[in-house]
């Protein structure tokens, strides 16, 4: 299969191009497309065969359910049942946007989308290309991130091609996904309501609607998906938490040690520390006080280290507030060496 690349303007999408892409979805094939969080790999959510192709292309385990994307709040009722006031309050506040809700599913949603569960994850993205693609396809679109399973999520069409070239029909090149980490997932099917995965919407914002909401934790690990090792580059990641001078000194100690041992390594650093590490291979993800920028650059920095073929990445941790919680969650998962480690 040859993967076609279709360039579409993110601010003024050309409708004839969108129609071409949506036709591919209607025909049961796969289209990768940008959203405000990361690039998604889309298929008709009501077509089980099309959805199966997602699992095949990504090498994703079948028990890991997909998020269904809609272009109109009203379409929520086609995907989920028992939509109550809390749900409506949340979508009134945060949709379109990086918030995924887990709700009871409608019968029309095939088992392959939900991993056989009676619940479904659904969101309305805040990105013109994604919204018009879904609208033109006239069906909800199941779309996980458009990467190979376990790899860092793609924030550009180029990243998608690195993982999936030749395995999918079309990728829409619509620029860089601007948030850069995935949506926050909230489970509304079990009380107390909980956050299954931290993401684009912070817990502080959600507490305006659900004051008692907490992160769902199992054995101390945030529990989005069942996979501890996730979002991972080829290199091993070591996270150095903290901030300021002590953090920099710890990073330097590790760097010197790796250097002595002859390892190939890189340092993922905050802007303010860019001159602290001399000639070592340093990539910057954002200023420590701007989690938004750090999130936007995180996955592409990890992929850049893979291009450099480093064995180890020493990553400076960030403050766990707002998007910072999502960044630390992704770094921790990416740093798990093997599933057995946890
Ligand atoms: P992604 O790989 O970014 O598409 O994220 C999909 C994730 O959404 C899965 O790994 C699950 O953690 C979560 N998810 C999807 N559907 C459900 C569901 N019905 N119940 C709980 N979590 C879900
Ligand atoms: Mg994913």
């Amino acid at each position: 299969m040859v993967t076609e690349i279709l360039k579409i303007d993110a601010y003024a999408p050309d409708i004839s191009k969108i129609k071409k892409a949506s036709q591919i979805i209607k025909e049961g094939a796969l289209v990768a497309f940008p959203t405000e969080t990361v690039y998604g790999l889309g298929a008709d959510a009501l077509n089980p065969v099309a959805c199966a192709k997602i699992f095949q292309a990504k090498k994703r385990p079948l028990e890991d359910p997909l998020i269904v994307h809609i272009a109109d709040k009203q379409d929520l009722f086609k995907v989920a049942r028992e939509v109550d006031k809390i749900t409506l309050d949340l979508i009134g506040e945060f949709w379109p946007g990086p918030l995924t809700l887990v709700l009871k599913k409608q019968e029309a949603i095939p088992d392959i989308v939900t991993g056989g569960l009676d619940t479904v994850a659904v969101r309305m993205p805040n990105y013109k290309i994604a919204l018009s693609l879904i609208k033109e396809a006239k069906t909800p679109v199941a779309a996980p991130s458009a990467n190979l399973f376990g790899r860092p999520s793609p924030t550009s069409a180029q990243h998608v091609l690195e993982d999936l070239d030749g395995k999918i029909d079309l990728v829409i090149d619509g620029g860089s996904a601007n948030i850069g980490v995935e949506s926050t997932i909230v489970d509304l099917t079990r009380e107390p309501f909980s956050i299954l995965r931290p993401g684009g919407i912070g817990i502080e914002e959600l507490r305006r609607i659900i004051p008692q909401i907490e992160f769902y934790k199992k054995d101390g690990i945030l529990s989005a998906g069942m996979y501890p090792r996730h979002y991972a580059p080829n290199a091993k990641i070591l996270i150095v938490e903290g901030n300021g001078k002590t953090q920099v000194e710890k990073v330097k100690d590790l760097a010197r040690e790796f250097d002595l041992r002859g390892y190939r390594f890189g340092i993922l650093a905050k802007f303010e520390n860019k001159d602290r590490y001399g000639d070592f291979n340093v990539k910057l993800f954002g200023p420590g006080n701007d989690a938004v920028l750090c999130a936007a650059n995180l996955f592409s920095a990890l992929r850049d280290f893979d291009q450099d073929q480093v064995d180890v990445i020493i990553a400076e941790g960030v403050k766990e507030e707002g998007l910072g919680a999502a960044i630390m969650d992704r770094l921790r998962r990416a740093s798990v060496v093997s599933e057995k480690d946890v």
Side-chain angles (χ1 to χ4, degrees):
M1 185 190 299
V2 177
T3 302
E4 192 187 337
I5 306 165
L6 187 60
K7 221 177 161 72
I8 300 187
D9 186 318
Y11 300 100
D14 176 339
I15 193 69
S16 64
K17 290 182 178 173
I18 294 282
K19 282 197 163 138
K20 177 176 171 177
S22 61
Q23 187 57 33
I24 294 176
I25 295 213
K26 278 192 238 176
E27 286 165 6
L30 305 183
V31 173
F33 62 95
T35 76
E36 81 279 32
T37 56
V38 300
Y39 271 64
L41 180 60
D44 178 352
L46 304 181
N47 177 343
V49 176
C51 292
K53 292 179 188 167
I54 292 180
F55 290 90
Q56 188 183 36
K58 280 182 60 92
K59 301 200 171 103
R60 181 176 171 114
L62 280 174
E63 59 271 23
D64 193 4
L66 306 175
I67 296 174
V68 174
H69 293 70
I70 56 177
D72 186 323
K73 291 180 188 173
Q74 286 304 320
D75 288 341
L76 176 60
F77 297 93
K78 296 183 189 156
V79 175
R81 57 182 215 273
E82 297 176 28
V83 173
D84 62 6
K85 179 164 183 312
I86 290 253
T87 310
L88 294 176
D89 288 350
L90 284 172
I91 73 176
E93 185 80 15
F94 298 112
W95 278 10
L99 177 67
T100 296
L101 300 176
V102 175
L103 296 161
K104 293 270 174 60
K105 85 173 183 79
Q106 286 288 10
E107 211 157 312
I109 305 297
D111 279 343
I112 189 156
V113 170
T114 66
L117 298 170
D118 185 40
T119 57
V120 62
V122 54
R123 92 170 181 108
M124 178 177 171
N126 186 14
Y127 206 78
K128 270 191 182 167
I129 292 175
L131 289 170
S132 47
L133 176 71
I134 301 163
K135 204 169 271 168
E136 285 301 324
K138 298 191 175 62
T139 179
V141 171
S145 48
N147 51 325
L148 286 173
F149 180 72
R151 296 261 303 142
S153 295
T155 51
S156 70
Q158 188 49 44
H159 295 163
V160 176
L161 290 169
E162 279 167 27
D163 282 14
L164 299 176
D165 195 11
K167 298 195 175 107
I168 62 176
D169 299 82
L170 180 79
V171 52
I172 296 177
D173 180 352
S176 287
N178 44 22
I179 296 181
V181 291
E182 299 80 354
S183 58
T184 303
I185 303 179
V186 170
D187 186 353
L188 294 175
T189 65
R190 276 176 307 182
E191 293 197 45
F193 300 142
S194 60
I195 297 174
L196 299 182
R197 173 177 78 186
I201 304 278
I203 190 167
E204 303 83 356
E205 292 170 85
L206 290 169
R207 282 192 173 140
R208 285 192 307 201
I209 311 275
I210 310 179
Q212 69 281 20
I213 198 163
E214 290 291 346
F215 292 112
Y216 181 78
K217 284 198 179 158
K218 202 171 149 200
D219 303 332
I221 297 170
L222 280 171
S223 168
M226 292 149 285
Y227 304 92
R229 179 173 165 84
H230 213 119
Y231 312 108
N234 299 324
K236 292 197 176 68
I237 296 189
L238 283 173
I239 305 168
V240 176
E241 300 201 26
N243 54 45
K245 245 188 167 159
T246 38
Q247 188 183 33
V248 168
E249 286 309 316
K250 275 189 214 155
V251 171
K252 274 190 189 162
D253 286 347
L254 284 169
R256 286 191 201 107
E257 194 180 321
F258 290 146
D259 199 32
L260 278 176
R261 291 200 211 161
Y263 287 179
R264 280 178 301 186
F265 66 94
I267 300 172
L268 179 66
K270 294 176 273 201
F271 282 1
E272 56 269 35
N273 296 334
K274 81 177 187 345
D275 297 324
R276 304 279 171 88
Y277 302 119
D279 290 337
F280 293 138
N281 178 359
V282 178
K283 300 200 191 297
L284 304 171
F285 64 148
N289 62 5
D290 187 347
V292 172
L293 256 187
C294 291
N297 295 318
L298 174 67
F299 289 131
S300 85
L302 296 182
R303 281 178 180 268
D304 288 346
F305 279 124
D306 274 352
Q307 298 278 343
D308 297 349
Q309 299 190 325
V310 302
D311 306 309
V312 189
I313 299 165
I314 308 168
E316 292 184 349
V318 298
K319 239 204 255 153
E320 278 184 79
E321 282 170 12
L323 266 179
I327 294 170
M328 289 305 285
D329 171 66
R330 304 306 186 271
L331 276 176
R332 288 195 186 108
R333 282 170 194 279
S335 72
V336 173
V337 175
S338 79
E339 305 286 330
K340 280 194 233 92
D341 269 22
V342 214

